[in-house]
Amino acid sequence: MNNKPLIIANWKCNPTTSKEAEHLFVAIKKEIRNIKDAEVVICPPFVYLDLIKDDFTKGGQNCYCENRGAYTGEISPLMLKNLACQYVIIGHSERRKYFQETDEIINRKVKTALKTRLRPVLCVGERVGDEMGLVVREQIEKDLAGIAAARVREVIVAYEPVWAIGTGLPCSSDEAMRAALFIRKTLTKLYDRPIAEKVKILYGGSVTSQNAVDYIKGAMMNGLLVGQASLNATEFVKIVLKINEL
Ligand code: PGA
């Protein structure tokens, strides 16, 4: 496992044609071909995963909690693995909100992803008005329940305060740092300190080329989960290049 900052692009339910998706891949690839000090992962909608060949490390935006069977409409971790994905986003707040994903389901997904040798990017974060500590602790405890110490370092925790996602109201780097420390403290209690220190923690929520560096330098995050800004090749490339130069 390397210590390079990890920048994950979450394209969500965009774009609507494979032609546009291909354009976006090509435009990003052209500019970041030679980066050495950051790792970039692209998570497009499932239907575009196969358009990315060896160009990028790729990941899914979701997965089911079983690898095969009669589950109409679902995509399994094993299918993602067989499409050469290395990562899968699990428990994004949009899945929790619009698809009623519970911590129990998220926990099953994390377990199946790990069993399938995919690295889960577990999203946690409070809604507006919630207390960060209470919500994040409960999510981490429930979502990682039963996961052995030997495997938890493969999990990446993405702190995404719901009020900062897609709102243009990013979290301050002080708040992000407080959350990162809190997440590490929670992991230390559940496992131990050396293990907690190995878990990568990312920040997500209205990341732009203007604030990206603050989260890595100021808040000591290990990387970023980028939504809206990853759909604009120029802006996403700017983020990657700035982090690569740190
Ligand atoms: P945003 O989304 O960058 O558009 O706020 C981040 C995310 O939901 O992962």
Side-chain angles (χ1 to χ4, degrees):
M1 222 173 282
N2 65 55
N3 286 323
K4 293 180 190 176
L6 180 62
I7 305 167
I8 303 184
N10 175 13
W11 288 6
K12 308 193 180 186
C13 191
N14 303 290
T16 53
T17 66
S18 39
K19 206 166 169 188
E20 287 169 279
E22 216 159 355
H23 274 132
L24 196 49
F25 289 138
V26 172
I28 295 170
K29 186 183 144 191
K30 207 169 74 194
E31 301 299 329
I32 66 167
R33 251 194 319 249
N34 299 320
I35 61 153
K36 291 198 176 62
D37 298 317
E39 196 180 337
V40 176
V41 178
I42 308 276
C43 298
F46 295 128
V47 290
Y48 306 139
L49 276 170
D50 217 21
L51 295 176
I52 317 180
K53 297 299 176 196
D54 300 328
D55 318 328
F56 286 109
T57 306
K58 57 189 176 178
Q61 294 176 14
N62 176 34
C63 63
Y64 191 53
C65 44
E66 298 288 339
N67 266 335
R68 57 179 66 74
Y71 306 106
T72 302
E74 292 299 322
I75 308 280
S76 79
L78 187 55
M79 292 171 192
L80 294 176
K81 184 79 188 168
N82 288 337
L83 279 176
C85 287
Q86 294 180 34
Y87 294 82
V88 59
I89 298 171
I90 295 178
H92 190 281
S93 64
E94 287 150 15
R95 305 278 333 157
R96 294 180 192 255
K97 179 176 173 191
Y98 301 121
F99 304 95
Q100 289 76 45
E101 283 194 13
T102 61
D103 288 306
E104 192 206 349
I105 290 178
I106 292 164
N107 175 246
R108 288 175 61 199
K109 290 184 175 192
V110 171
K111 284 179 173 159
T112 312
L114 284 172
K115 233 182 263 166
T116 314
R117 301 272 160 197
L118 280 176
R119 294 194 64 182
V121 180
L122 172 66
C123 299
V124 297
E126 78 285 4
R127 286 178 298 199
V128 69
D130 287 345
E131 172 145 353
M132 182 274 291
L134 287 180
V135 173
V136 168
R137 183 192 303 127
E138 187 176 339
Q139 287 174 332
I140 291 182
E141 283 173 359
K142 289 185 170 171
D143 299 347
L144 297 181
I147 291 165
R151 302 303 304 279
V152 79
R153 70 189 64 185
E154 293 160 50
V155 176
I156 292 149
V157 178
Y159 172 63
E160 297 208 305
V162 180
W163 46 267
I165 297 178
T167 57
L169 299 169
C171 173
S172 71
S173 69
D174 279 359
E175 281 172 289
M177 173 141 84
R178 216 160 50 80
L181 291 171
F182 181 81
I183 290 168
R184 262 195 231 289
K185 208 168 86 188
T186 305
L187 290 169
T188 302
K189 278 194 194 141
L190 289 176
Y191 297 93
D192 62 33
R193 190 141 170 210
I195 288 175
E197 274 166 7
K198 288 208 169 76
V199 174
K200 282 194 171 180
I201 303 176
L202 314 184
Y203 171 75
S206 297
V207 171
T208 64
S209 60
Q210 297 305 307
N211 60 26
V213 168
D214 299 342
Y215 297 112
I216 308 295
K217 272 188 97 167
M220 296 188 307
M221 288 281 178
N222 305 113
L224 302 165
L225 182 49
V226 187
Q228 189 61 34
S230 70
L231 292 168
N232 176 328
T234 314
E235 177 67 0
F236 185 65
V237 165
K238 257 193 218 165
I239 293 173
V240 174
L241 295 181
K242 280 191 173 179
I243 302 298
N244 185 56
E245 278 160 19
L246 286 180

